[in-house]
Each structure stands twice: as C-alpha cells, then as structure tokens.
Amino acid sequence: MLPGTWHLTEDIEDFLARAGDFLRSRPALHNTPLTTLEKWRTQSDAFTPGAVLFGRLESAGETQAIFYRPPTRRLTLTPLSSERADALAVHLAGLGHTLAGVTADHDTATAFAEAWQRHTGATPTLRVRMHLYRLDTLTPPNPHPDGHSRPVGEQDHDHLMRWCRELAVDLGETVTIDAASWASTRFAEKTYTFWETPDGIPVSMAGVNPMVAGMVRVDPVYTPADLRGRGYAAAVTAEVSRAARAAGATEVVLFTDAGNPTSNALYQRLGYRRITDWAPYDFAYAAAEDS
C-alpha cells in the first residue's frame, strides 16, 4: 500500500483551505504550524507569496500530514511514520531541494533526518531535545512571590526588546532585535505580561501567541539571571496561563529544553503535563549546494 500522495503548493490560502481542518483537529500537537501559518496569513509583512513551499499528504481523500519549508530552508513537519518520512525525503530530494534542517516531534524528526542522510548524504545534528507540555489543572505557585502582573505596554517596548535580546543570547540564537528589526522577529506577534515587585519593578516576563483553533502557546518566559530562583517565572507563567483559559483557550501549551530540570519541574508544579518530545535537527553537507 502506498503511503499517500504529497501535494505541493506555494499558495497559502489554497493550502489552508485543504489542510486547515486537519491542523485544527489536534491544536496542541500542531501548535507550531498553526501559529506560524496564522502569522503568515494575517501579517503581510511576515509572508512573501511564493517564498514558502507547502506540502500536504493525502490518503483516502483526507489530509494525513503537512509540511512547510520557508526561505530558511528548515522543514517543519507534523507527525509521520518512518515509512512516510522516508518517502517524503525521497520525494523532496528527487525534486532537487536542499534543506537546512527539520523540526518536528522527536520520532518524526529523527526518522526524517536519518532518511535525508541516506538519500542526500547530509549529516544531521540534533540541536536540542525539547518537551511539549499541555496545561491540565492550573495550580498557582506556592509559595507565591510578592508583587503583581501587568500587561506590557508601548512605554515598555525598549525594556521588552532588551529582555528578548538577553533571552536570545541565553538560547544561543544569533538574531538582531531592535526597533528596526522587531517586526520580523519571532517575538513580535506576541502579547506580553510583566511580573512586578510591589514597588513596580519588572522582574520577569511571559509572552503568549495569539489564540488559534482554541490554542494558546506560552512563549517566551524570561527572568534575568540575577533575579532567578525567587518564584517570579512561576508567578507570571501562572498568570498568563490563567488569562488564556479565561479568554476561552481550550489548549494552553509550552515548550521546554529537556535538559533544564528547573524549568521542567516548575511547569509540572503549575499543572503542565508532557505530551511529547520535540527535536530540531540541522543538516550539514560535504560541499556547498545550491538551493
């Protein structure tokens, strides 16, 4: 039995019309494509028509999986069996595509990375192992730090950008975050909340993506290094999680670095439950290749 047929397009509206129900059927697991596609669909400055390749796997008349490949050439995939991951690698390699990497749930990303190596000779390297969590029953932090939350406003923009720059450095990201580049960064479309001390000094922040398909993703959460260990991150995460539920979110999710036991324990205490592992791989080639 064939593993299905991949239909490729550069038309985001056509792609969403055909794959939207599939993506919305599992909003927690599909949170990354849902938020990315919504950003591209609604923000004209974030999407260049013809610059992204979309793929939809159809079997028995239904969408079974999707991918998209933006100008970064990093492939994002929804879950695939090993057989289907191999078939997709064969298909894309046969069309002459060069990929910089792949991001998906751990099993899918690993299966595709291994298949891509077999069919192209590229060497895959796991960048970081991640966990995906979904909020179950929210449990406020105990002990609870003194202070309060407040929305981040326009007057806080310089402060917000500074903390996003510090976070990017912590994560090893080489990005420019300033007034000119802000709109094009992954931080721009989010709504932010500060946790402040009783005297009004911001000590932690949390961002959330716009709700799509009843799902909200908490991202990022950041506390400056000299203020950590005081419960501020837990307090601000609990507040944005509560607010998301109050606004009607049926799924509240977040990613963590699997190698950070402190943050993983924190989110579990708040009521987040791990639903899968996540893996981004980078691909290296023996010689330079054209895109």
Side-chain angles (χ1 to χ4, degrees), residues 11-31:
D11 186 332
I12 188 172
E13 295 297 342
D14 177 70
F15 175 74
L16 286 171
R18 298 176 185 275
D21 287 346
F22 164 74
L23 289 170
R24 290 186 291 269
S25 69
R26 304 177 75 182
L29 192 61
H30 296 162
N31 74 88

Side-chain angles (χ1 to χ4, degrees), residues 9 12 39 43 87 101 135 138 144 158 211 214 222 226 232 238 250 273 276 281-282 284 290-291:
T9 182
I12 188 172
K39 177 179 179 179
Q43 300 182 26
L135 182 61
L138 180 62
H144 198 281
D158 288 344
M211 190 187 307
Y222 178 72
D226 61 335
Y232 299 142
T250 55
R273 302 292 176 254
T276 192
Y281 282 88
D282 296 325
D290 295 331
S291 301

Side-chain angles (χ1 to χ4, degrees), residues 6 16 46 97 156 194 221 235 256:
W6 283 98
L16 286 171
H97 292 291
D156 303 306
F194 280 157
V221 177
T256 68

Side-chain angles (χ1 to χ4, degrees), residues 274-291:
R274 194 172 100 194
I275 58 174
T276 192
D277 292 337
W278 215 259
Y281 282 88
D282 296 325
F283 296 150
Y285 298 85
E289 297 181 23
D290 295 331
S291 301

Side-chain angles (χ1 to χ4, degrees), residues 47 78 209 224:
F47 180 77
T78 57
N209 284 78

